[in-house]
Amino acid sequence: MSKKEKIAIVGAGAVGSTAAYYLSQDSNLEITVFDYGHGQATKAAAGIISPWFSKRRNKAWYKLARLGADFYPDLAADLEKTGADTSSYQQTGVYLLKKNEEKLQELLDLALSRLEESPIIGQIKLLKASEAQEKFPGLQGFEKLLYASGGARVEGAKLTQILLSASQLSYVNKEVQIQPLGEGYRIDGQIFDKVILATGAWLGQILTPLGFKVDVRPQKGQLRDYYFENLNTDAYPVVMPEGEIDIIPFDNGKISLGASHENDKGFDLTLNQGILDSFQNQAQTYFPHFEAAEQKSARVGIRAYTSDFSPFFGEIAELPGLYVASGLGSTGLTIGPFIGNQLAKMVLGQPTQIDPADYPTNKYIKKSN
Ligand SMILES: Cc1cc2nc3c(=O)[nH]c(=O)nc-3n(C[C@H](O)[C@H](O)[C@H](O)COP(=O)(O)OP(=O)(O)OC[C@H]3O[C@@H](n4cnc5c(N)ncnc54)[C@H](O)[C@@H]3O)c2cc1C
């Protein structure tokens, strides 16, 4: 019997847990996942999947974002085949609000122009306030909104849990470092043939000791979850008003509200109730019931940004067999599982659906002198 190839994945957020899931389907591989979990963006994420209304001109990013949204139903179908739970992803639709009605028409036209390459957007239409109430009773503070039925929300923590439990792997809850050997890499006293670093905002901490400069900075994000005993929120659409706040309904009466984008807090994970209270004040314009929630709790996580806001993934040229992904920013739950899937293909030597050269690691990871 030939020896199994040993693969380590450091970081079990959206990227790492999806890579682990796909790699673990190959019985010739032995997979170990190391995850510290501290500050993980995936479990703190709002979970909105709706990239088609973005006016960002970065074509490589948009391609990744639309393919990331397309990938969710494929992932759900793969999970379903093995009998795993698929409920972490739900296409309940999205409501977009703009103060200026002309902007709604612009967004409608933009989404219609993208519908052919992204049929997943679904039905797109302008709704009057009374029509919008049908799917989200009690929503107010606007005259019209734009609805897209394909918009979705994902529970990040649940998704990673499902992926990891549907995989054959060893899981180690620990912060680790990596040591390159002539061949392979040592992590936590074990030697691995290949490694994926899916460490999000913490990529610099793990690569700097190896003599690299990493262009990834942290951004703190906080949000609050509200629980309503008497609301059946299961099919409520996500609401995206103009500005920082979004309203994200989940199953069983849970509605999340956030999130902050704090660039000056480093890796700080302290909750700031003042910021969360101000979100609640803004959101009451649209849904006055937040005040009456039976229970409230908060989440905080750290997003990863590059200096030009572009994500990157692939092998590090100087370290063969070492693959990375980071810089996913505020749309990382949209693109993370797809990137994890593409990284798994790279590790397996299979063709990828997108060209990693468009998301080059050497632009953001450089040898320090
Ligand atoms: C508040 C908030 C709201 C968001 N909302 C959305 C949204 O609505 N839609 C969207 O698409 N995206 C959203 N995002 C962005 C998205 O969550 C992230 O971009 C994405 O989850 C990043 O995934 P990742 O796997 O790269 O990193 P992470 O999820 O951060 O995972 C990295 C993991 O690596 C672990 N780790 C790091 N270093 C080590 C080490 N040395 N040893 C062991 N483990 C290590 C960490 O502890 C962590 O668990 C949001 C993010 C935040 C914070």
Side-chain angles (χ1 to χ4, degrees), residues 224-243:
R224 203 181 258 165
D225 299 318
Y226 295 78
Y227 298 88
F228 300 90
E229 271 167 27
N230 298 318
L231 285 187
N232 182 356
T233 52
D234 297 9
Y236 281 21
V238 169
V239 182
M240 301 177 76
E242 228 164 339

Side-chain angles (χ1 to χ4, degrees), residues 11 14-15 35-37 40-42 45-48 174 176 329-334:
V15 175
D35 185 58
Y36 180 41
Q40 185 186 97
T42 300
I48 305 169
K174 191 172 183 181
V176 292
S330 58
T331 47
L333 209 55
T334 308

Side-chain angles (χ1 to χ4, degrees), residues 340-355:
N341 170 267
Q342 299 294 291
L343 281 174
K345 287 185 191 298
M346 291 175 85
V347 168
L348 293 167
Q350 296 173 357
T352 50
Q353 202 176 331
I354 39 167
D355 188 355

Side-chain angles (χ1 to χ4, degrees), residues 130-360:
S130 56
E131 295 168 319
Q133 294 260 337
E134 282 170 27
K135 290 192 189 308
F136 199 136
L139 197 67
Q140 61 180 52
F142 60 94
E143 282 177 19
K144 273 189 178 171
L145 56 70
L146 181 60
Y147 167 63
S149 64
R153 40 76 166 172
V154 176
E155 275 181 280
K158 191 170 176 185
L159 175 69
T160 57
Q161 247 170 36
I162 290 168
L163 289 166
L164 294 172
S165 39
S167 307
Q168 280 289 333
L169 48 78
S170 312
Y171 182 86
V172 185
N173 178 211
K174 191 172 183 181
E175 184 178 11
V176 292
Q177 290 296 326
I178 174 169
Q179 184 194 355
L181 306 169
E183 251 178 57
Y185 297 88
R186 190 193 309 274
I187 300 175
D188 196 32
Q190 297 182 60
I191 296 173
F192 296 93
D193 301 294
K194 290 177 183 164
V195 177
I196 294 178
L197 297 180
T199 48
W202 296 266
L203 188 62
Q205 276 89 326
I206 202 158
L207 286 180
T208 307
L210 306 188
F212 289 93
K213 271 197 290 201
V214 180
D215 173 12
V216 171
R217 68 175 166 81
Q219 184 195 64
K220 178 177 177 182
Q222 309 180 56
L223 51 69
R224 203 181 258 165
D225 299 318
Y226 295 78
Y227 298 88
F228 300 90
E229 271 167 27
N230 298 318
L231 285 187
N232 182 356
T233 52
D234 297 9
Y236 281 21
V238 169
V239 182
M240 301 177 76
E242 228 164 339
E244 207 172 15
I245 59 159
D246 295 310
I247 299 168
I248 313 101
F250 289 94
D251 288 351
N252 304 320
K254 173 177 155 185
I255 303 184
S256 302
L257 173 61
S260 67
H261 294 75
E262 299 166 67
N263 288 312
D264 54 348
K265 298 289 191 305
F267 291 88
D268 170 48
L269 294 174
T270 321
L271 288 166
N272 181 330
Q273 299 300 340
I275 290 180
L276 297 170
D277 287 345
S278 97
F279 285 166
Q280 182 177 316
N281 286 338
Q282 292 171 54
Q284 305 249 111
T285 317
Y286 306 107
F287 191 62
H289 308 291
F290 279 112
E291 185 66 54
E294 279 85 13
Q295 259 191 67
K296 296 175 195 174
S297 55
R299 289 181 280 149
V300 56
I302 309 291
R303 303 180 188 89
Y305 276 94
T306 57
S307 51
D308 65 1
F309 305 97
S310 297
F312 61 89
F313 72 93
E315 197 171 11
I316 300 184
E318 295 89 341
L319 296 169
L322 185 66
Y323 301 79
V324 296
S326 187
L328 276 61
S330 58
T331 47
L333 209 55
T334 308
I335 62 181
F338 180 59
I339 291 179
N341 170 267
Q342 299 294 291
L343 281 174
K345 287 185 191 298
M346 291 175 85
V347 168
L348 293 167
Q350 296 173 357
T352 50
Q353 202 176 331
I354 39 167
D355 188 355
D358 291 337
Y359 311 89

